[in-house]
Amino acid sequence: GQQLNQSPQSMFIQEGEDVSMNCTSSSIFNTWLWYKQEPGEGPVLLIALYKAGELTSNGRLTAQFGITRKDSFLNISASIPSDVGIYFCAGQLGSGGGADGLTFGKGTHLIIQP
Amino acid sequence: DAGVTQSPTHLIKTRGQHVTLRCSPISGHKSVSWYQQVLGQGPQFIFQYYEKEERGRGNFPDRFSARQFPNYSSELNVNALLLGDSALYLCASNREWWNTGELFFGEGSRLTVL
């Protein structure tokens, strides 16, 4: 099956720093999404991308859908303590048919040192 | 409005037993998906149901089954439990089946198999 390679596995940064993480796949995806999960919670959708080359922002978060459809990145600017959590990329093969579900990466664990 | 609710939140079973997990989607959402999240990994797609019909299935054995009821709530059943079934089981809902990437997750049911 499809696999998503997400990096880095973990990040230790200072408050106020910018963060960058990415996700690559050997397969093409038609949708890329970024989710955040905090302890004891389910993942929460941050950004959804539907077109190759698309660049989308949500507050301090910016994500891009790679031109090849095989990669995506997420940037967080000026990190704050509440950004702590695990960030997952997810890809979907279909254009919304649902038959394939989402394929998730293994996550990037973001830790912020005050 | 209430989010996706799952029950039970935690449960412990022994090998060979059977388990039923329950999920109520957000009001107005007709599609329910189930994901398995093993510790340290991203969620893995098990099933998607829409209007009481199975619309998608991941790579899981036949010991896993699910159903959706007329009120759009759902049950996930796992028979003949194995140690490897220990995981967080996440339920997610969305309004229609064609927008399956943008999921709203519950907090999950944490299953421990001894």
Side-chain angles (χ1 to χ4, degrees), chain A residues 37 41, chain B residues 35-38 86-90 107-110:
Chain A
Q37 187 174 27
E41 306 283 333
Chain B
Y35 285 77
Q36 180 195 64
Q37 187 175 23
V38 173
S86 295
L88 181 69
Y89 288 86
L90 293 162
E107 294 184 350
S109 294
R110 183 162 297 283

Side-chain angles (χ1 to χ4, degrees), chain B residues 25-44:
Chain B
I26 291 172
S27 176
H29 284 194
K30 300 178 182 178
S31 174
V32 169
S33 300
W34 288 94
Y35 285 77
Q36 180 195 64
Q37 187 175 23
V38 173
L39 198 62
Q41 304 290 318
Q44 189 172 357

Side-chain angles (χ1 to χ4, degrees), chain A residues 31 33 35 37 40-45 48 50 88 92 95-107, chain B residues 35 37 40-45 48 55-58 88 90 97-108:
Chain A
T31 303
L33 308 106
Y35 283 85
Q37 187 174 27
E41 306 283 333
V44 174
L45 180 65
Y50 296 102
F88 291 101
Q92 187 173 41
S95 56
D100 50 345
L102 297 182
T103 300
F104 281 83
K106 292 186 177 182
Chain B
Y35 285 77
Q37 187 175 23
Q41 304 290 318
Q44 189 172 357
F45 174 64
Q48 191 218 2
R55 291 297 185 109
R57 172 186 283 255
L88 181 69
L90 293 162
W97 65 268
W98 59 79
N99 203 16
T100 55
E102 299 184 16
L103 301 178
F104 295 83
F105 284 90
E107 294 184 350

Side-chain angles (χ1 to χ4, degrees), chain A residues 27-66:
Chain A
S27 304
I28 288 174
F29 286 102
N30 289 314
T31 303
W32 281 93
L33 308 106
W34 286 91
Y35 283 85
K36 178 188 178 187
Q37 187 174 27
E38 298 183 32
E41 306 283 333
V44 174
L45 180 65
L46 300 173
I47 292 180
L49 302 155
Y50 296 102
K51 292 169 61 173
E54 179 181 358
L55 184 72
T56 297
S57 293
N58 178 9
R60 294 178 296 105
L61 277 61
T62 302
Q64 184 158 30
F65 190 144

Side-chain angles (χ1 to χ4, degrees), chain A:
Chain A
Q2 303 84 28
Q3 286 191 351
L4 294 185
N5 300 306
Q6 190 170 348
S7 64
Q9 243 182 335
S10 58
M11 302 182 73
F12 295 79
I13 64 167
Q14 302 277 347
E15 185 177 347
E17 285 186 15
D18 296 343
V19 171
S20 184
M21 59 190 78
N22 66 76
C23 206
T24 60
S25 170
S26 57
S27 304
I28 288 174
F29 286 102
N30 289 314
T31 303
W32 281 93
L33 308 106
W34 286 91
Y35 283 85
K36 178 188 178 187
Q37 187 174 27
E38 298 183 32
E41 306 283 333
V44 174
L45 180 65
L46 300 173
I47 292 180
L49 302 155
Y50 296 102
K51 292 169 61 173
E54 179 181 358
L55 184 72
T56 297
S57 293
N58 178 9
R60 294 178 296 105
L61 277 61
T62 302
Q64 184 158 30
F65 190 144
I67 292 289
T68 64
R69 296 180 177 267
K70 293 183 177 182
D71 63 323
S72 177
F73 73 74
L74 175 71
N75 288 339
I76 305 173
S77 63
S79 58
I80 59 177
S82 62
D83 291 334
V84 166
I86 303 176
Y87 291 78
F88 291 101
C89 61
Q92 187 173 41
L93 278 173
S95 56
D100 50 345
L102 297 182
T103 300
F104 281 83
K106 292 186 177 182
T108 294
H109 195 172
L110 180 61
I111 299 160
I112 299 177
Q113 299 162 333

Side-chain angles (χ1 to χ4, degrees), chain B residues 42-100:
Chain B
Q44 189 172 357
F45 174 64
I46 310 175
F47 288 112
Q48 191 218 2
Y49 275 78
Y50 177 76
E51 291 284 8
K52 295 174 289 181
E53 290 188 8
E54 181 184 304
R55 291 297 185 109
R57 172 186 283 255
N59 188 23
F60 279 81
D62 291 342
R63 300 184 296 108
F64 289 76
S65 64
R67 55 179 177 167
Q68 187 177 31
F69 299 99
N71 66 353
Y72 304 111
S73 67
S74 177
E75 280 182 357
L76 176 69
N77 295 284
V78 187
N79 292 324
L81 285 167
L82 304 173
L83 295 179
D85 294 331
S86 295
L88 181 69
Y89 288 86
L90 293 162
C91 174
S93 74
N94 60 329
R95 192 169 297 274
E96 304 288 352
W97 65 268
W98 59 79
N99 203 16
T100 55

